[in-house]
Structures are given as C-alpha cells and as structure tokens.
Amino acid sequence: MTKTAELAAKLRGLDINDMYENDFFLTWDKSDDEIAAVFAVADALRDLRERNISTKIFDSGLGISNFRDNSTRTRFSFASACNLLGLEVQDLDEGKSQIAHGETVRETANMISFMADVVGIRDDMYIGKGHTYQKEVADALKEGYEDGVLEQKPTLVNLQCDIDHPTQTLADLDHVIHYFGGVENLKGKKIAMTWAYSPSYGKPLSVPQGVIGLFTRFGMDVVLAHPEGYDVMPEVEEVAKANVTKNGGSFTKTNDMKEAFQDADIVYPKSWASFAAMERRTELYGKGDFDGIDKLEQELLAENATHKDWECTEEMMQLTKEGKALYLHCLPADITDVSCKEGEVAASVFDRYRAPLYKEASYKPYVIAAMIFLAKVKDPATALEELEAKACNRKEF
Amino acid sequence: MTKTAELAAKLRGLDINDMYENDFFLTWDKSDDEIAAVFAVADALRDLRERNISTKIFDSGLGISNFRDNSTRTRFSFASACNLLGLEVQDLDEGKSQIAHGETVRETANMISFMADVVGIRDDMYIGKGHTYQKEVADALKEGYEDGVLEQKPTLVNLQCDIDHPTQTLADLDHVIHYFGGVENLKGKKIAMTWAYSPSYGKPLSVPQGVIGLFTRFGMDVVLAHPEGYDVMPEVEEVAKANVTKNGGSFTKTNDMKEAFQDADIVYPKSWASFAAMERRTELYGKGDFDGIDKLEQELLAENATHKDWECTEEMMQLTKEGKALYLHCLPADITDVSCKEGEVAASVFDRYRAPLYKEASYKPYVIAAMIFLAKVKDPATALEELEAKACNRKEF
Amino acid sequence: MTKTAELAAKLRGLDINDMYENDFFLTWDKSDDEIAAVFAVADALRDLRERNISTKIFDSGLGISNFRDNSTRTRFSFASACNLLGLEVQDLDEGKSQIAHGETVRETANMISFMADVVGIRDDMYIGKGHTYQKEVADALKEGYEDGVLEQKPTLVNLQCDIDHPTQTLADLDHVIHYFGGVENLKGKKIAMTWAYSPSYGKPLSVPQGVIGLFTRFGMDVVLAHPEGYDVMPEVEEVAKANVTKNGGSFTKTNDMKEAFQDADIVYPKSWASFAAMERRTELYGKGDFDGIDKLEQELLAENATHKDWECTEEMMQLTKEGKALYLHCLPADITDVSCKEGEVAASVFDRYRAPLYKEASYKPYVIAAMIFLAKVKDPATALEELEAKACNRKEF
C-alpha cells in the first residue's frame, strides 16, 4: 500500500464535511479531525509530487494573494501551493491598485475574484485588524457568490493575521510529527515556546499564539516563556488552557527562559512584541499618530534591549533533553554575528539545525495546498486515490 | 438546446470574418454583427464556466498587460480572461523595465511579445496619446509577425484609452441586455449618461464617450448631461449622431441633470474632466510643465466644486421611470459619506444597487475573453460547440 | 524528414550527459557538443512552436526569476521560455521580500524553490560578485535537494553576470548561424566586437566578454576593439586565446575602430565600462562609499565623452565586407538623434538592420528554454521526437 493510499484511507475515517466550501482562519476553529485531515492531504500531495505524479485539480482558475506585510517564504509557499493544484497566482498589490482611492473591502474582494478559487491574505500588522479584515473579505466573497457575481466561492486562507498563523504552525507541527515518528508520539513531549531578543521591532504575535493554540491539542507540555510584559493575547491563552483540559498535557507560563528550556524536547525561541504594546500601536494608528508610533518604537526597542540574555545559545541548548531538543523557527531568524550583532540564536546552534529548519519550512506549501484541496474537493480521499491511479506525470520525459 | 449551443448557432449567422487576427480599439470600428458576436461569445464562455466546462483554447502562451494608469478591476479582469483561455499573464511594469532608458515603442512591443497571443493596454491619461500609442504598438506587432520575429500576431485589446473604454462599455451593455431580457428590448429605452461631482481630478473621458458611441447603436434615447464646459470629444459626439441616423432613437445633450434623469430607464452618473481641460493638460505635459499641470489641477478642482449638486441622490432617482431606473457605474464610485464627503452618488442609492453593480462588473472578464477568442479562433461557433462537446472539467473532483 | 527530426538525430550524436541536472553559468564551462546541443534544442523547440505543436514538458512547476538589475527583454525571454515548457514564472522582487532583513543567500535560495524547476538570475552590477552569487545559489539548491528540502534540484540559468551573458551571446550566435546558413560557414568570418560611445554609464562587460569567449570557438577571426583603458577581464581574454589555439581562427585586439571594421563580416559595436573602473566601483561599493561611486561615475562619463567618434556610422559600415556586414546588438542600442544626441549607432544604420536585430533577439527565449530542457530531460532527442509525434496543439481551433 502506498503512502498516499494509506493517507486516503485515513482521511476517509475523518469527519471533515464542514471543510468543503469553507475558509481557514484559525486552527482552533477546526476540529481534531479537520486538523488531522490537513496533515493527511499535505503528506499525500507531497508523496505524489515526490513520485512525479501530477496533483492538478484545476485546469484553470486563479489564486489571489494579498500581502499587507512583507513576505518571501509565505509568498512563495502560496504560489507553490496554487501551482501544485493548477491555479495561477495573481498578487493584489495595493500600491498599484485603486484601493488607495478609498475603495471598500467588499467591492475589492469581489472585483479581484471573478475567477478566483482561493484568496490568501497576510494582514498581521495591527492587533484587532487582520482577522477582522479577513472575515470581512470572506463574507463579501460569500455574498458575491450568492448574488451570482462570482462563478465560484473562493476559499479564504489566512496567511498570517494578528491572532494566528495557521499555515506556519501547521507546517511546524507536520515537521515535528515526522521528526518524532507520528502524532501519537507527541504526548508528554515538552515544547518551549519562548521569547528571544531581536534588534528589530514589532514582530507579530501570531506565531507564539498559534503555537500555544495548536500544540496544546496533542497532550504535550507546552511552556510559554517571555520577559515580564511580553504577554500574548489573553483569549489565546484561554484556548490553550481549554485544549489542555480536553486533551491532557499542560500549559504553563514562566518569565525564565532556562526553566522553559529545561528538559524540553522542542524549543521555539523567537522575538515578538507584547500584546499591550501592539494595542497601543493600533490605537495610535487609528488616530493617524505616526509620530506617536515612531516614539513607541524607540521605547519598545529600548525595552527589548534590556533582555539580550534571552538568546538560544549552546549553553541554553545544553539544558534541553539530552542537549538535543529539536530547534524550531519560522525563519528568518536573527542570528547573532550573522544577520545582526546580537540576536535570537547563536550561529553555531542555527548552523547545526539548518537542514531540519529548511525541511520545516518545506511543509508550508503542502499545508496551504491541503487547505485549498479540502475546501474545494467534496470527496478528498477518492480524489487522492484517483490522482494516484491516473498517475499523470508532473514532468514528462 | 443549451445556452451555448444557441449562442453558437447565432454566431454562425453573423458576418465576423474581419475579427479573426484583428485588434479591438474602439467599438465604433466594429460592425453590428461584430458587437453581437462579442456578446454571444462572452455569454457562451460564461455559460460553459458556470457548468464547470473548461474553455482553455491555449495550452501555453502569454497575455501581456501594460497598465499606464492604476487599475484593480480591469487588471484582474484581463488576468481572469487570459486564465480562462489558457494564457499566462505577464505585466509590463514600465518602472522595472528598460523603457525608462529611451527605448522606442516599436522595439519594446516586439521584445515582450515573442510568445504573446494578446497585448492589453491601458493608456488613458493624455488626450491624443493613448489611442495613438495603442495603434503604434499594434502596427509594430503586425510588422514583427510579418518579419518572422514573432511566431504569432498578438491581438491588441484596448483596456482603456483617451477615446474609448470598450471592455467597460461592452460589459455595461451586456449587463443592460440581460437586465432588460434581450437586446431587442433596448429600443426606445432612455439612458442618461450624466456627469457627477467628485472630489478627485482628471478622470478619463473614455467612459462617457464610450457609452454615447455604443448605446446609440440600439435605437435608445441617449442623453448626455454635464455642466457647461465639461464637453466630451466632438468626434465621438459625431459617432453618436451618425449611429442615431442609422439606427433610430435619439442623441441629445443637456446641462441639466434633472432633465436627463426624467423618465430615464438607465442612469450612469459619473465624474469626468472636460475635453478642453484635458487638452490643456496634454499640452503642458508635452512641454514638461509639471508646475503648470499642478496649477491646472487646482483650477479644475475649484471648478468641479461649483457643481456639487450633480449628485445621484434619492430625489434624483425619484425622477426616473417609476423611480426605478437601472443605476450603472464603472466603479469605484465616489460615494457620499462613504468614500468621500461629497461625491457622485448617495450611499443609500449605491447600497440598493450594489449587487447589480458587481454583476455589471462581472461581465468584463468574459467580454475581454470574447475579444481574444474572436481574434484567435477562425471558426468560433464550431470551437464553442466542440468545447461543450468535449466537456473537460474546469475543476476536477 | 522534418527539421525537428533532423535536429533530434543530430542531438543523438552529441555527448551531452553532463548537461542533465546541471546548471548554465558560462559558455566556456560547456563542451562544443554541449553548445551545439543548445542550438539543436532551441531550433527544434522553435520549429515545433511555429507548427503549433505544444512543447510543454511540465504540467506544473515554477520558474523563479531574480533580476538584480533592470531588464525588459531578458525578463520576458525568461518568462516566454518557462511558459513554452509549462512552468509558471514567479519573480523574486527583493524590494518586496525579506531579503532586506539580512537573510542569507542560502536560506532564500531554498525558500523560493520548493516547487522550482529553474532559477534564472541576473546580477551584473559588480565585478567579482554576480557569478559568485549565482554559484552560491546553485550550491544551496543542490544541498537543499540532497537534504530533502526541495523535491527537485532546480537548474540555475545565468541571465547575465559580471563575467558572461550566455543567453544573449548564444541567441546572437544562433542568429549568425542562421544568417550565414550553418555553423560550418563561420570559419574564417571576421567579427568586430567593438566598444562604442554611449552617454550612459557603467554598462556591464558581460556582452563583449561573452562574445570573445564564445565566437572564438568556431574558427572565426575575432577582433576586440576599444579605446585605451577599456579593457575587459584578462581571464576572459585567456579563454579567447585558448579557443583559438584549439579551433583555429584568430583573436586580436586593437584601439582603432576602423581597423576592426575593415572587411568585417559581422560588427557588434556596443558601449561598456572598463574592467579597471568597474573594479574600483566594486571596491567603493564594498566600503559603502556611495559618494565615491557618484564621483567615479562623473569621471567615467567625462572619459567616455572623449571617445564620441566610436560610433557605428554609415561611413564605418562602408569599411566592412562589401559594405554589408551583419550588424549585431543586444538592445536597447543608444541610437544617435533617436534615443540620445550622440550614441553607439547612426539612425540610418540601425533602421536598416531593425528586422534582423529583432530576429536576433527572438532566439533568446528558445535558447533559455533549451538550457532548461537539457538540464531537465534525460534523453532530449527522444523527448523532441515524442513531442512531435504526439503533436498536441499549442492553440486549439
């Protein structure tokens, strides 16, 4: 039995009817079966592509990306996912478009989606804004479809918002599952999601939030560590706690990086801005107070600089389980003496984990493709089986 | 008999031989049969796509877009049309290219078109320039094909010039035809193409010009209304008059918005700059007098501001046939209290017509695809029938 | 026997095993058989496309382009080549990406290549940098593939570096071969690769270097002419000399444009910056001395201006073989009284050669496609035969 056949069989046992014609905003909107389905489809698509079997399910159609913040890896992951399924990518570059002319979200959402099967949005800059914007777009697309404006209802994929970064954390988790040889082996494993020092400012909270909201579903011991004041959104901590109540494991917090690293199986040291600071920033933004934003930035950078000891050094790594915890990062990392003078991680640690880090990133295109596949295909298990049976070459000759 | 079969049969009765391997600049270059063919193909392509039948006629090939003015909806409509037929879009972004290095139009036209089946151009900023530029490009492409430089002669599609905006007005008209249940029902209908106040400056004349040049072909009563001094190009008014002589109906002008709205079946209230002002602007541009252009802008904005009463309010709508005229707009509209303080249309009017407005816009990708289809396929009726018979899925599973 | 069948047969006789899964940096990395293979595949792909036969060998996959300098024709040639083979182009626009955040070359190379079959790079601005950068990227891609990060090893195509511009010079040469009726007719032909005056600054040396490194392989008399001080890289002159030793013909240098043009069969007059000046520029760049770079620019422009007599005039053309040498240029040319006041070539000369110049450029997409084809297809002769036998339409109907 091939890997794809196994995964299709597994998929058939999952309750995933609600994924069809639906969107993907936050991992905690999704049931355990739905999360499992994303991994099953992602791994099957990868297996097929590795065997040079085409996974195109669209002969034409567009994938629209809207990046309201800079991006390389997510941009290319989205493009790769669309291409894998047969969709052509069109970027909505708001600089070039008439959105600057005061156009409403609803109108633009429709105008770009006449032939769109998926709309991917990254909007992570302002607390309380990104997720709300994505919801508005999704509502507009649903209405446009019902009104006969759009020939199909595009699925919305969250490519990072102020709350969650599901394509990242699911790629991280798929990597972890493969590393530990199966999702069943995660139970009891300790993961340290910790803040780390970076000379840059205002990094989104969606990664730490996404990690605590997702990894607590698998019976793991999830520790969130950060200096005082660098809290994440309380709602997401509630999600983590509820997960633990349901699935076992634990969710704890500490202001001590060493405590978090102690005996950890996995470490995820990464800089972020505090929730409270980001809320102040959103308020200033709302008032158009850009001087205030600049001042806040200086203040936060100064505050950050008091925590330069939050670095993932060799000494810190020695504290982890047998000194060999799996090191995760969403990339790019701020590497001490490489990309900056003092950063999140020591060069020697980063170097040792480079290949696994790249592998971690390589799951993202498949995770995004799986989200689209599950939203667009009514019977994904059969579809995977038929793709495998047809076995069209991805590359001829 | 399916809708597509009916449309193919209709197409077979039209004299459209001249469309093959030809370009699309202005609607009044085209015969009545040719205009009818655009609608037939556009509607058939939409019917097929709604039934999940692939309309790809290219297995590879490029569609080149060259937007010399901002655009969201036309950009995505062009991309959608190309994708629908199997062409990949490449934007010629003149900022990134070597055109800034003083390259001639002829050379660039060839260099971007080695694999191009269509070149779509928007160039609407300067009176006397846009259409001329498009003609130069088309001539260069014809020559390049004849010289064996290009393997195929790309068709040129006017995505808006200084004179006409055929993809817009044909989409508008296709919407109107569906709304009134057939082109034969347009006879005797009154359409008010009227100026409306906008706080922005220098909007192209191509929409009002395109509307009076096109809608006068169908026996309609076409009224062009604007404040004194906001005239459109006299040549296009002559086109409208000649259409009326040939097809009946009427073409009248007024400086009174109410007179235009009175008993109208359709209203199209929209801001534009006057022809005379745009000619002055072109002259200043020719001299490189950018201070002069800025001064002219201030002058025109002040002039505009004396006509804030030209707004499509609920009171104005009450004047129309049974108070229920079909409201048209090319979008984005300047909506009072929404996108600006005082604009072209009251928010309540716009809101009531939102779904039909979006539907109006949704015809544009199909109109563009029809233009390409008719230029590239020798026997379009048979081609549509064969696409329907083959019935390849647009989306599998 | 069709042209494609002939070319496939010829290809079968060549030793090209090393091209499979390999990269294309410099023409002199490649054996004579490998260069011949590029022309055979390029011409076969063109023959097939002219006969409306699809040459798609990929049903999905990406072609990544990374232009670190402006480009129109190479950009569109790369896009055309990818499209011809079934790959979708994604530009890595470093302005939009996180490369600005201090990301390493190795990481970015992997992050953009998850589904990439080819990465095309233009990096020609700094002596000693471009080729090195391309090598680093290629090494990273090889490593990424071996580590299981990438499902395929993308082939790297040099779209212009500081040393060579192989897609340009191979297109030039393919044009020359067709013009003279076969590669065997090049023996004994004289080509004048000469400097010419341009009012612009710092044009790359990769074209003259590429020409002397490539054309000396065919028993031609290659003359490199430039004012004193405008030398090219000595290493490349050594390549030219070694070619002559092996293949006959000659490689000579002169500071007299007339001497070079005398009895020439082919002339290639083109501006470039001197190697020494470009080295100084690279040093200044290394120190971040942008004032120094500006000063150097002024100095070089003043130096250039003392050589305005280096122009390809009608009088100069009269010196060539029967006054009818084939005029080559990589385009865009600086045309006197057209694109600048005083330039590389007289308008009447350029005009007379316009059609052949455009034809010269039209080989580039096919040369690039051939490079990709040869890197990705294990048995290219059979693949061409099968494409011809299958004869799928490029355009239906």
Side-chain angles (χ1 to χ4, degrees):
Chain A
M1 205 179 191
T2 65
K3 193 193 282 190
T4 294
E6 273 175 39
L7 291 162
K10 183 177 176 184
L11 201 53
R12 196 160 273 126
L14 302 173
D15 177 4
I16 54 171
N17 291 333
D18 277 0
M19 299 190 93
Y20 184 59
E21 294 286 319
N22 212 332
D23 304 300
F24 208 112
F25 297 108
L26 310 170
T27 63
W28 44 93
D29 291 339
K30 303 293 176 186
S31 71
D32 292 348
D33 272 11
E34 290 171 342
I35 296 293
V38 171
F39 294 134
V41 174
D43 288 359
L45 292 174
R46 185 163 202 159
D47 176 54
L48 292 172
R49 196 176 198 281
E50 283 176 351
R51 290 155 57 203
N52 197 36
I53 297 177
S54 170
T55 54
K56 273 176 78 164
I57 57 170
F58 299 97
D59 110 305
S60 60
L62 297 179
I64 310 296
S65 65
N66 182 0
F67 283 88
R68 307 183 116 199
D69 192 6
N70 284 337
S71 174
T72 301
R73 65 210 69 246
T74 302
R75 181 185 294 274
F76 277 82
S77 291
F78 183 75
S80 296
C82 287
N83 179 267
L84 188 69
L85 300 177
L87 300 175
E88 187 185 347
V89 173
Q90 282 290 315
D91 279 336
L92 173 63
D93 182 336
E94 301 189 57
K96 283 183 199 165
S97 78
Q98 295 192 341
I99 292 169
H101 300 200
E103 201 167 278
T104 62
V105 170
R106 178 149 51 171
E107 190 169 311
T108 303
N110 276 276
M111 296 302 122
I112 62 175
S113 299
F114 298 130
M115 308 282 165
D117 288 290
V118 55
V119 174
I121 300 177
R122 179 170 188 176
D123 186 340
D124 55 11
M125 299 280 281
Y126 297 100
I127 289 289
K129 302 289 181 195
H131 177 63
T132 306
Y133 172 75
Q134 292 184 7
K135 281 277 190 189
E136 277 173 27
V137 170
D139 288 347
L141 295 174
K142 188 163 174 288
E143 199 179 318
Y145 174 61
E146 287 164 359
D147 289 343
V149 171
L150 307 178
E151 252 68 83
Q152 66 295 313
K153 194 186 85 60
T155 185
L156 195 138
V157 171
N158 173 9
L159 297 176
Q160 188 165 3
C161 71
D162 51 324
I163 303 177
D164 195 7
H165 192 350
T167 66
Q168 180 64 49
T169 58
L170 288 166
D172 297 338
L173 185 54
D174 205 12
H175 174 59
V176 166
I177 291 170
H178 284 94
Y179 183 85
F180 286 105
V183 69
E184 63 280 7
N185 299 330
L186 300 190
K187 197 173 281 285
K189 292 279 186 300
K190 176 177 178 183
I191 175 168
M193 176 74 241
T194 93
W195 193 86
Y197 170 72
S198 155
S200 83
Y201 147 80
K203 297 207 174 180
L205 290 98
S206 47
V207 168
Q209 290 172 169
V211 166
I212 65 166
L214 177 63
F215 282 65
T216 44
R217 296 172 84 138
F218 300 91
M220 300 177 77
D221 294 318
V222 178
V223 182
L224 177 66
H226 55 74
E228 259 185 84
Y230 285 78
D231 296 274
V232 302
M233 293 172 75
E235 304 90 297
V236 184
E237 294 193 7
E238 292 310 311
V239 169
K241 288 178 199 163
N243 283 340
V244 163
T245 304
K246 192 178 155 209
N247 303 294
S250 63
F251 170 63
T252 52
K253 289 169 61 178
T254 172
N255 294 329
D256 180 349
M257 194 184 188
K258 284 183 188 160
E259 187 186 322
F261 267 57
Q262 194 65 50
D263 287 319
D265 298 279
I266 307 166
V267 294
Y268 203 142
K270 197 210 162 298
S271 185
W272 66 81
S274 82
F275 168 56
M278 288 299 96
E279 275 202 318
R280 277 171 60 199
R281 186 156 170 269
T282 302
E283 267 169 53
L284 293 166
Y285 179 75
K287 294 183 204 152
D289 182 357
F290 292 98
D291 284 348
I293 290 180
D294 285 349
K295 232 163 97 183
L296 177 63
E297 178 173 343
Q298 293 314 312
E299 196 183 303
L300 294 176
L301 286 174
E303 171 66 22
N304 276 3
T306 65
H307 305 294
K308 291 190 181 174
D309 53 324
W310 286 70
E311 184 190 349
C312 181
T313 58
E314 293 289 3
E315 293 68 39
M316 291 296 300
M317 288 302 290
Q318 282 306 318
L319 298 174
T320 68
K321 181 80 61 63
E322 296 170 24
K324 294 194 288 196
L326 179 63
Y327 167 80
L328 300 183
H329 200 284
C330 53
L331 302 180
D334 289 309
I335 309 165
T336 300
D337 285 330
V338 176
S339 46
C340 57
K341 204 163 151 292
E342 294 162 298
E344 298 169 313
V345 59
S348 64
V349 173
F350 187 87
D351 271 6
R352 198 163 62 252
Y353 287 92
R354 181 179 295 111
L357 279 168
Y358 291 3
K359 185 87 187 182
E360 176 186 355
S362 74
Y363 290 102
K364 198 188 276 181
Y366 295 104
V367 162
I368 298 173
M371 289 173 178
I372 303 171
F373 198 93
L374 287 159
K376 288 294 171 178
V377 172
K378 207 172 168 60
D379 179 355
T382 302
L384 288 172
E385 288 162 353
E386 290 190 13
L387 285 170
E388 186 176 35
K390 247 199 302 184
C392 294
N393 286 334
R394 204 277 300 178
K395 174 171 81 73
E396 285 290 343
F397 310 113
Chain B
M1 203 178 194
T2 66
K3 194 193 280 189
T4 293
E6 274 175 38
L7 290 163
K10 184 178 175 183
L11 201 54
R12 197 159 272 128
L14 301 174
D15 177 4
I16 54 171
N17 291 334
D18 278 0
M19 299 190 91
Y20 183 60
E21 293 287 318
N22 212 331
D23 304 301
F24 208 113
F25 297 108
L26 310 170
T27 62
W28 46 93
D29 291 340
K30 302 294 176 187
S31 71
D32 292 348
D33 273 12
E34 291 172 343
I35 296 293
V38 172
F39 294 133
V41 174
D43 289 359
L45 293 174
R46 187 164 199 158
D47 177 54
L48 292 172
R49 197 177 199 282
E50 284 176 351
R51 289 155 57 204
N52 196 36
I53 296 177
S54 170
T55 54
K56 273 177 79 165
I57 58 170
F58 299 98
D59 110 304
S60 60
L62 298 178
I64 311 295
S65 65
N66 182 1
F67 284 88
R68 305 182 117 200
D69 192 7
N70 285 338
S71 174
T72 303
R73 63 209 71 244
T74 302
R75 181 184 293 273
F76 276 82
S77 291
F78 183 75
S80 297
C82 287
N83 180 267
L84 188 68
L85 300 177
L87 299 175
E88 186 185 347
V89 174
Q90 282 290 315
D91 281 335
L92 173 61
D93 182 335
E94 302 191 56
K96 281 184 203 165
S97 78
Q98 295 192 341
I99 291 169
H101 299 198
E103 201 166 278
T104 62
V105 170
R106 179 150 49 172
E107 191 170 308
T108 304
N110 276 278
M111 296 304 121
I112 62 176
S113 299
F114 298 128
M115 308 283 166
D117 288 290
V118 55
V119 175
I121 301 177
R122 179 171 190 177
D123 186 340
D124 55 11
M125 299 280 281
Y126 297 101
I127 288 288
K129 301 290 180 196
H131 178 62
T132 306
Y133 172 75
Q134 292 185 7
K135 281 278 190 189
E136 277 173 26
V137 170
D139 288 348
L141 295 174
K142 187 164 174 290
E143 201 180 316
Y145 175 61
E146 287 164 359
D147 288 343
V149 172
L150 308 178
E151 253 66 85
Q152 66 296 314
K153 194 186 87 57
T155 186
L156 194 139
V157 171
N158 173 8
L159 298 176
Q160 188 163 4
C161 71
D162 51 324
I163 303 177
D164 196 7
H165 193 350
T167 65
Q168 179 65 48
T169 58
L170 288 167
D172 296 337
L173 186 54
D174 205 13
H175 174 57
V176 166
I177 290 170
H178 284 95
Y179 183 83
F180 287 106
V183 69
E184 62 282 5
N185 298 332
L186 300 190
K187 199 173 280 286
K189 292 280 186 301
K190 178 178 176 181
I191 174 169
M193 177 73 241
T194 94
W195 192 87
Y197 170 73
S198 155
S200 82
Y201 147 80
K203 296 207 175 181
L205 290 97
S206 48
V207 167
Q209 291 174 168
V211 165
I212 65 166
L214 177 62
F215 282 66
T216 44
R217 296 172 85 138
F218 300 92
M220 300 177 78
D221 294 319
V222 178
V223 183
L224 177 66
H226 55 73
E228 260 185 84
Y230 285 79
D231 296 276
V232 301
M233 293 172 76
E235 304 89 297
V236 184
E237 293 194 7
E238 292 310 311
V239 168
K241 286 177 200 164
N243 282 341
V244 163
T245 305
K246 190 178 157 208
N247 302 296
S250 64
F251 172 61
T252 53
K253 289 170 61 179
T254 173
N255 293 329
D256 180 349
M257 194 185 189
K258 284 184 186 158
E259 188 186 320
F261 267 58
Q262 193 66 49
D263 287 320
D265 299 280
I266 307 165
V267 295
Y268 204 142
K270 196 211 162 299
S271 185
W272 66 80
S274 82
F275 169 56
M278 288 299 95
E279 274 203 318
R280 278 171 59 199
R281 186 156 170 270
T282 301
E283 268 169 54
L284 293 166
Y285 179 76
K287 293 183 204 153
D289 182 358
F290 292 98
D291 283 349
I293 290 179
D294 285 349
K295 232 163 99 181
L296 177 64
E297 179 173 340
Q298 293 314 313
E299 197 183 302
L300 294 176
L301 285 174
E303 172 65 23
N304 276 5
T306 65
H307 305 295
K308 292 191 179 174
D309 53 325
W310 286 70
E311 185 191 350
C312 182
T313 58
E314 293 289 1
E315 293 69 38
M316 289 297 300
M317 287 303 289
Q318 281 307 317
L319 298 174
T320 68
K321 180 78 65 60
E322 298 171 22
K324 295 195 288 196
L326 179 64
Y327 167 80
L328 300 182
H329 200 285
C330 53
L331 301 179
D334 288 310
I335 309 165
T336 300
D337 286 331
V338 175
S339 45
C340 56
K341 203 164 151 292
E342 295 163 298
E344 299 170 313
V345 59
S348 64
V349 173
F350 187 87
D351 271 5
R352 198 162 62 250
Y353 287 93
R354 180 178 295 112
L357 279 168
Y358 290 2
K359 185 88 186 181
E360 177 187 355
S362 75
Y363 290 103
K364 196 186 277 181
Y366 294 103
V367 162
I368 298 173
M371 289 173 177
I372 302 171
F373 197 93
L374 286 159
K376 288 294 171 180
V377 172
K378 208 173 169 59
D379 179 355
T382 302
L384 289 171
E385 288 162 355
E386 290 190 12
L387 286 170
E388 187 175 35
K390 245 197 303 182
C392 294
N393 287 334
R394 204 276 300 177
K395 176 171 82 74
E396 286 290 344
F397 308 113
Chain C
M1 204 179 192
T2 66
K3 194 192 281 189
T4 293
E6 273 175 40
L7 291 163
K10 184 176 173 183
L11 201 54
R12 196 159 273 129
L14 301 174
D15 177 5
I16 54 171
N17 290 334
D18 277 0
M19 299 189 92
Y20 183 60
E21 294 287 318
N22 212 331
D23 304 299
F24 208 114
F25 296 108
L26 310 170
T27 63
W28 45 93
D29 290 340
K30 302 294 175 186
S31 71
D32 292 348
D33 273 11
E34 291 172 341
I35 296 293
V38 172
F39 294 134
V41 174
D43 290 358
L45 292 174
R46 185 163 201 159
D47 178 54
L48 292 172
R49 197 178 198 280
E50 283 176 353
R51 291 155 58 203
N52 197 37
I53 296 176
S54 171
T55 54
K56 274 176 78 165
I57 57 170
F58 298 99
D59 110 304
S60 60
L62 297 179
I64 309 297
S65 66
N66 182 1
F67 284 88
R68 307 183 115 198
D69 192 6
N70 284 337
S71 173
T72 304
R73 66 209 69 244
T74 302
R75 181 184 293 275
F76 276 82
S77 291
F78 182 75
S80 297
C82 287
N83 179 267
L84 188 69
L85 301 178
L87 299 175
E88 186 185 349
V89 174
Q90 283 290 314
D91 280 335
L92 172 62
D93 182 335
E94 301 190 56
K96 283 184 201 163
S97 77
Q98 294 193 340
I99 292 169
H101 300 199
E103 200 166 279
T104 63
V105 170
R106 179 149 50 171
E107 189 169 311
T108 304
N110 276 276
M111 296 302 121
I112 63 176
S113 299
F114 298 128
M115 308 282 167
D117 288 290
V118 55
V119 175
I121 300 178
R122 179 170 188 176
D123 186 339
D124 55 11
M125 299 279 281
Y126 297 101
I127 289 288
K129 302 289 180 195
H131 177 62
T132 306
Y133 172 75
Q134 293 184 7
K135 281 279 190 188
E136 278 172 25
V137 170
D139 288 347
L141 295 174
K142 187 163 174 290
E143 201 180 318
Y145 174 60
E146 288 165 0
D147 288 344
V149 173
L150 307 178
E151 253 67 83
Q152 66 297 312
K153 193 189 85 59
T155 186
L156 194 139
V157 172
N158 172 8
L159 298 175
Q160 189 165 0
C161 71
D162 52 323
I163 303 178
D164 196 7
H165 192 350
T167 66
Q168 180 66 47
T169 59
L170 289 167
D172 297 337
L173 185 54
D174 204 12
H175 174 57
V176 166
I177 291 170
H178 284 94
Y179 183 84
F180 288 105
V183 70
E184 61 282 6
N185 299 331
L186 299 190
K187 197 172 280 287
K189 292 280 186 302
K190 177 178 176 182
I191 175 168
M193 178 73 240
T194 94
W195 192 87
Y197 171 72
S198 155
S200 84
Y201 146 81
K203 295 206 176 183
L205 290 99
S206 49
V207 168
Q209 290 173 170
V211 166
I212 66 165
L214 177 63
F215 282 66
T216 44
R217 297 172 84 137
F218 300 92
M220 300 178 77
D221 294 319
V222 178
V223 184
L224 177 66
H226 55 73
E228 261 186 82
Y230 285 79
D231 297 276
V232 301
M233 293 172 76
E235 304 88 297
V236 184
E237 293 193 9
E238 292 309 312
V239 169
K241 287 177 200 164
N243 283 340
V244 163
T245 304
K246 190 177 157 207
N247 304 295
S250 64
F251 171 62
T252 53
K253 289 170 60 178
T254 173
N255 294 329
D256 180 349
M257 194 185 189
K258 284 184 187 157
E259 189 186 320
F261 266 58
Q262 194 64 50
D263 287 320
D265 298 279
I266 307 165
V267 295
Y268 203 141
K270 198 211 160 300
S271 185
W272 66 79
S274 81
F275 168 57
M278 287 299 95
E279 275 203 317
R280 277 171 58 199
R281 187 159 170 268
T282 301
E283 269 170 53
L284 293 166
Y285 179 76
K287 293 183 206 153
D289 181 357
F290 293 97
D291 285 347
I293 290 180
D294 285 348
K295 233 163 98 182
L296 177 64
E297 177 172 343
Q298 293 313 313
E299 196 182 303
L300 294 175
L301 286 173
E303 172 66 23
N304 276 5
T306 66
H307 305 295
K308 290 190 181 175
D309 53 325
W310 286 70
E311 184 190 351
C312 181
T313 59
E314 292 289 2
E315 293 69 38
M316 290 296 300
M317 287 303 290
Q318 281 308 316
L319 298 174
T320 68
K321 181 77 65 61
E322 298 171 23
K324 294 195 288 197
L326 179 64
Y327 167 80
L328 299 182
H329 200 285
C330 52
L331 302 179
D334 288 310
I335 310 166
T336 300
D337 286 331
V338 175
S339 46
C340 56
K341 204 163 149 292
E342 295 163 297
E344 298 169 314
V345 60
S348 63
V349 173
F350 188 86
D351 272 5
R352 198 161 64 251
Y353 287 92
R354 181 179 294 111
L357 279 168
Y358 290 3
K359 185 87 188 181
E360 178 186 354
S362 75
Y363 290 102
K364 198 186 278 182
Y366 294 104
V367 162
I368 298 172
M371 289 172 176
I372 303 170
F373 198 93
L374 287 158
K376 287 295 171 178
V377 172
K378 205 170 171 62
D379 179 355
T382 302
L384 289 172
E385 287 163 355
E386 289 190 13
L387 286 170
E388 186 175 36
K390 246 199 302 182
C392 294
N393 287 334
R394 203 278 299 179
K395 175 171 82 74
E396 285 290 342
F397 310 113

